[in-house]
Amino acid sequence: MMQIPRAFVGWEVLVADDERDSLEVASRMLKIAGARVSTALNGKDAIAAFKANPDPVKFVITDLSMPDMDGWELLYLLQQERPKLPVIALTAHAMAGDRERGLTAGFHGYVTKPIDPMRFVQQLVSMLSQIPEYAPLLKAP
């Protein structure tokens, strides 16, 4: 069995998803990787959690399709608050063009559902290591 890298020790991470199973899998894997995780069931709750968190959030993972406020609007609002904050899309929309549309909009990466628990953290490390400010912070898997 593949070892989950402890890549996010001490990091604050926010996960927004209206599907509780995906939220639970993402949260659990991030905690195993050492992160402190805040969760939200929609974009509005995610913005509230983001603003209420006393420690700066290192990155956000968000579903694209959620009630009240979707991941696209959440991305836009987060970009207003912290322009360099990495936001990773989490979605079942794996159609051709969706990835490019997300990256063009400003998402730093794209994880498709269902989440593969054994690959999830490694996918995130791979995406975040492409950001110059983050690469030195990531512990080698």
Side-chain angles (χ1 to χ4, degrees), residues 35-48:
R36 291 187 306 269
V37 182
S38 300
T39 60
L41 292 169
N42 60 57
K44 283 186 179 176
D45 291 348
I47 287 291

Side-chain angles (χ1 to χ4, degrees), residues 98-121:
D98 284 343
R99 184 176 186 280
E100 292 71 23
R101 182 176 165 230
L103 296 175
T104 300
F107 285 101
H108 286 81
Y110 196 94
V111 176
T112 56
K113 292 181 189 179
I115 295 170
D116 178 343
M118 292 295 107
R119 290 187 54 233
F120 182 63
V121 171

Side-chain angles (χ1 to χ4, degrees), residues 121-134:
V121 171
Q122 195 55 56
Q123 288 172 302
L124 297 174
V125 168
S126 179
M127 287 174 221
L128 293 167
S129 67
Q130 303 302 311
I131 302 169
E133 306 92 290
Y134 280 66

